[in-house]
């Protein structure tokens, strides 16, 4: 699943809260790294920061991942590009 994110959002929020530029860059890079290393956790964190509450985003994405696992493995095995 793709994790959409407004590039620079953490950076600008950090600056607005009084963090130094170096600290804001560090926070921005940490989130970008998390998007690639732990996409489900990162997406859940991003959505939580918007006060979303209609359903559990992390649970939904974990369920989706498990339900799609066999389909994805079969596609890779069949050389689907």
């Amino acid at each position: 699943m793709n994790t959409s994110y407004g590039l620079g959002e953490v950076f600008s929020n950090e600056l607005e809260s009084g963090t130094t530029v170096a600290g804001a860059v560090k926070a921005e890079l940490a989130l970008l790294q998390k998007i690639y290393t732990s996409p489900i956790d990162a997406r859940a964190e991003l959505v939580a920061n918007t006060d979303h509450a209609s359903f559990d985003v992390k649970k939904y994405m974990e369920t989706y991942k498990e339900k799609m696992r066999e389909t994805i493995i079969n596609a890779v095995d069949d050389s689907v590009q």
Side-chain angles (χ1 to χ4, degrees):
M1 296 183 74
N2 189 12
T3 298
S4 58
Y5 169 69
L7 188 63
E9 181 178 350
V10 168
F11 177 81
S12 62
N13 289 342
E14 289 290 319
L15 286 180
E16 289 173 5
S17 73
T19 303
T20 64
V21 172
V25 168
K26 187 175 182 176
E28 178 75 21
L29 289 174
L31 181 57
L32 290 172
Q33 288 173 339
K34 188 172 187 175
I35 288 171
Y36 287 99
T37 60
S38 304
I40 290 175
D41 292 335
R43 176 56 136 178
E45 181 181 318
L46 289 168
V47 173
N49 290 338
T50 67
D51 297 325
H52 170 82
S54 64
F55 64 93
D56 185 334
V57 173
K58 186 172 182 177
K59 181 180 176 184
Y60 171 82
M61 288 187 293
E62 288 171 345
T63 300
Y64 178 88
K65 180 181 175 180
E66 287 307 312
K67 287 183 177 183
M68 291 300 296
R69 182 179 303 278
E70 184 177 350
T71 301
I72 300 301
I73 290 170
N74 290 339
V76 170
D77 290 344
D78 290 343
S79 300
V80 174
Q81 295 182 6

